[in-house]
Amino acid sequence: MPYKFPEKFLWGAASSAFQIEGAWDEDGKGITVADYNSFKRSDKQADTKVASDFYHRWEEDIELMRELGLKAYRFSVSWARIIPDGDGAVNPKGIEFYSKIIDKLLSCGITPFVTLYHFDLPYALVKKYNGWESRECAYAFERYARVCFENFGGRVKYWLIHNEQNLMMRVDERMNITETDTFRKEKIRAQMDYHMFLAHALTVKACHEIVDGGNIACAVSSTVTYPMTNKPEDVWAARLNNLFKTDYCLDMHVYGEYPGYYMRYLQEQNTVPDMRPEDKAILQAAKMDFIALNYYRTLTARAFPEDSEHPKGLRQEGMNEVDYDMYGYWKIEKNTNLTASEYGAQIDPTGLRIVLNDYWQRYRLPLIITENGLGTADTLTEDGKIHDDYRIDYIRQHIKAIGAAIDDGVKMMGYCPWSVVDLLSSHQGFRKRYGLVYINRSDMDLKDLARIPKDSFYWYKHVISTNGEEL
């Protein structure tokens, strides 16, 4: 039986500013942490200077979105394009650029779905007070968000605050954490995380004050973990991996306080962040309107014994954040029942159904998928085509999982595959492609940057036109 998607289901696609725009220093934009990190790899792969050149080709790209039939476009605003130094003067050229994007989307019948922060902290704030380690960064973010709400809120009704706070917090580069002392590093990480939670709460409040009919949410990197065996300790290890990688973050966003297990962890490690008494009311008053999630893979965990080789405590030097948690140390293992993409993400559409049911049952807030896609190399044929049946199959199976979740009773708002066009992957440049539209460039050769719709573009266009009834 065909799945029945809601009549106003938001069939969309997604991108982020630093991965698509280019023009990293044009029209007054300031440098960001994402720019800074990409420049360190400029000798090995593409960087943010041109990326997909959306800054100069946005009209062409949005016309392709119109042809595709998108109902929504999830994109991010660059904080440093709006306020170049993070907390100083507002840049009129930045306001003008995003205003034109929003107007063009609306004229094409596409709902703008705006992310305020996608890994691109203004680098000036790093130099000023180490970014999110300072409470001042939370206030600077609130001010930036208010500028966006005041300038765009009359036309933009769907907002996301931080993209994948729970994931970026575990990656030193994304947070610009350079401390080498293990204890000090984790103390900084916990404080940064808290200040982002505070910024989130202040921003939710500002949105509801300023944007008439505004809907605002977090966007988390979802985690689904299976136990390696049916041993109780492995079942608990899998549960802990979910709790510590995603659920604590959602609990903080929804309920405004750390869950008990997470506070106990912070206390045991002596990394409890500085929190002011008045913050509790701010955090608990911030009521989100929905939950956005990014889904790419599932994980499998087994328990480690607590012994001299596997001590409970702070992450030690050389430990891979993907493989070990912060508390008790369990190991992530390969699930031999699943196939994996070229870059190692295990493909599991059923896991998407699981996480949608889990979050709906836990929080009872509408859900939208803001990232989901297959990153791999594509081949441009001699006749100028990209035959990406592998991507079509990936997206088809995940849309079916969404349909099954809707049948289960989950309230779904929409689906935005990653990504609308090929864009800059942080560590694989343009070798790893996600787009429905091919960008004719390589890492070191810009070529003509032509936009070439892939087979998946035309397939997804049909899915949208039939509201998912013909997959």
Side-chain angles (χ1 to χ4, degrees):
M1 292 179 61
Y3 292 111
K4 185 69 175 177
F5 289 85
E7 184 179 345
K8 294 184 178 180
F9 191 76
L10 292 172
W11 296 100
S15 73
S16 84
F18 84 91
Q19 293 174 282
I20 192 174
E21 285 181 2
W24 74 277
D25 63 349
E26 288 189 37
D27 292 331
K29 178 183 172 293
I31 187 172
T32 69
V33 168
D35 294 324
Y36 176 82
N37 288 326
S38 85
F39 296 161
K40 292 190 295 185
R41 291 186 284 272
S42 293
D43 61 330
K44 301 180 180 67
Q45 66 174 65
D47 57 31
T48 59
K49 291 178 181 177
V50 176
S52 304
D53 201 32
F54 179 79
Y55 193 78
H56 300 110
R57 298 168 183 250
W58 58 271
E59 289 184 275
E60 176 185 358
D61 289 345
I62 295 176
E63 283 297 330
L64 281 169
M65 297 179 207
R66 185 211 294 263
E67 180 185 346
L68 181 56
L70 289 190
K71 307 300 182 185
Y73 174 43
R74 184 249 175 153
F75 64 101
S76 72
V77 170
S78 173
W79 184 351
R81 204 177 285 286
I82 299 293
I83 305 174
D85 65 359
D87 60 357
V90 175
N91 176 23
K93 288 287 188 181
I95 299 293
E96 178 185 352
F97 172 67
Y98 291 113
S99 191
K100 290 189 295 187
I101 299 300
I102 292 163
D103 285 345
K104 177 68 174 178
L105 289 169
L106 292 171
S107 73
C108 293
I110 301 170
T111 298
F113 216 103
V114 175
T115 305
L116 290 167
Y117 181 66
H118 196 122
F119 305 160
D120 53 357
L121 181 74
Y123 198 76
L125 297 183
V126 174
K127 294 192 288 186
K128 191 169 184 178
Y129 37 62
N130 201 27
W132 291 106
E133 187 179 6
S134 169
R135 190 179 180 94
E136 294 304 313
C137 195
Y139 297 140
F141 184 84
E142 179 195 12
R143 174 177 175 252
Y144 153 65
R146 286 180 175 273
V147 169
C148 290
F149 297 150
E150 289 163 359
N151 283 276
F152 312 133
R155 293 164 290 165
V156 177
K157 302 303 179 184
Y158 291 100
W159 298 87
L160 302 174
I161 303 174
H162 306 309
N163 181 71
E164 297 183 338
Q165 175 181 337
N166 60 314
L167 176 60
M168 80 169 97
M169 197 53 59
R170 302 198 308 272
V171 182
D172 292 352
E173 181 182 82
R174 295 219 189 278
M175 301 306 299
N176 204 65
I177 297 174
T178 58
E179 176 63 55
T180 56
D181 177 78
T182 298
F183 170 74
R184 175 63 183 152
K185 177 187 288 191
E186 297 310 313
K187 182 73 172 176
I188 291 170
R189 194 187 314 279
Q191 192 65 62
M192 287 181 165
D193 205 16
Y194 179 74
H195 286 151
M196 290 188 78
F197 284 127
L198 179 61
H200 179 277
L202 293 169
T203 302
V204 169
K205 181 176 184 290
C207 180
H208 289 152
E209 286 176 355
I210 297 169
V211 181
D212 185 26
N215 295 270
I216 192 162
C218 61
V220 296
S221 173
S222 61
T223 307
V224 179
T225 314
Y226 304 127
M228 188 67 185
T229 73
N230 63 358
K231 293 178 181 178
E233 55 266 35
D234 285 354
V235 174
W236 184 237
R239 179 69 62 86
L240 284 176
N241 194 57
N242 292 343
L243 292 174
F244 274 88
K245 287 186 176 173
T246 303
D247 294 357
Y248 89 95
C249 185
L250 281 170
D251 279 3
M252 190 66 163
H253 286 321
V254 174
Y255 304 123
E257 60 183 359
Y258 289 114
Y261 62 85
Y262 203 81
M263 180 55 75
R264 184 175 68 249
Y265 155 72
L266 293 172
Q267 291 168 342
E268 288 178 351
Q269 305 308 313
N270 195 26
T271 57
V272 176
D274 294 330
M275 298 180 279
R276 296 182 182 177
E278 64 268 24
D279 292 350
K280 184 175 182 180
I282 295 171
L283 293 165
Q284 294 187 347
K287 302 302 182 184
M288 298 190 305
D289 301 291
F290 61 98
I291 291 173
L293 63 130
N294 302 341
Y295 177 87
Y296 289 99
R297 65 176 184 175
T298 53
L299 300 167
T300 303
R302 68 176 173 88
F304 265 172
E306 186 179 343
D307 55 30
S308 59
E309 292 185 16
H310 312 107
K312 177 163 55 173
L314 295 168
R315 184 183 298 115
Q316 303 300 310
E317 190 66 29
M319 284 187 169
N320 184 334
E321 65 87 15
V322 172
D323 291 343
Y324 300 86
D325 85 298
M326 300 177 291
Y327 176 83
Y329 298 131
W330 50 84
K331 185 73 168 62
I332 300 300
E333 300 282 6
K334 182 178 180 180
N335 188 337
T336 57
N337 296 306
L338 298 172
T339 59
S341 72
E342 178 183 357
Y343 289 93
Q346 295 192 298
I347 300 171
D348 184 8
T350 300
L352 179 56
R353 183 180 184 179
I354 291 170
V355 78
L356 291 175
N357 272 275
D358 185 23
Y359 292 173
W360 171 249
Q361 293 296 332
R362 188 179 180 113
Y363 303 109
R364 291 289 169 168
L365 287 171
L367 299 165
I368 183 169
I369 295 154
T370 43
E371 290 184 31
N372 169 244
L374 179 65
T376 190
D378 289 323
T379 301
L380 181 64
T381 62
E382 291 184 3
D383 60 349
K385 307 290 185 183
I386 300 92
H387 302 302
D388 56 342
D389 290 347
Y390 40 88
R391 184 167 291 108
I392 292 171
D393 183 64
Y394 179 98
I395 296 175
R396 176 191 288 117
Q397 296 307 319
H398 285 80
I399 291 176
K400 285 183 176 180
I402 298 167
I406 292 171
D407 283 354
D408 295 335
V410 178
K411 186 174 181 179
M412 293 296 306
M413 295 168 56
Y415 172 69
C416 296
W418 187 263
S419 53
V420 63
V421 303
D422 289 338
L423 41 65
L424 175 68
S425 183
S426 295
H427 292 278
Q428 292 86 23
F430 279 83
R431 300 185 303 279
K432 185 180 183 182
R433 295 177 181 266
Y434 284 92
L436 301 168
V437 176
Y438 187 87
I439 302 295
N440 190 34
R441 66 159 295 177
S442 64
D443 278 329
M444 299 305 176
D445 185 355
L446 290 176
K447 301 182 181 178
D448 61 1
L449 290 164
R451 276 64 173 142
I452 305 169
K454 305 176 187 179
D455 287 358
S456 57
F457 176 98
Y458 298 106
W459 174 83
Y460 189 48
K461 178 180 180 178
H462 182 70
V463 171
I464 295 172
S465 69
T466 63
N467 197 33
E469 292 187 8
E470 297 182 17
L471 292 170

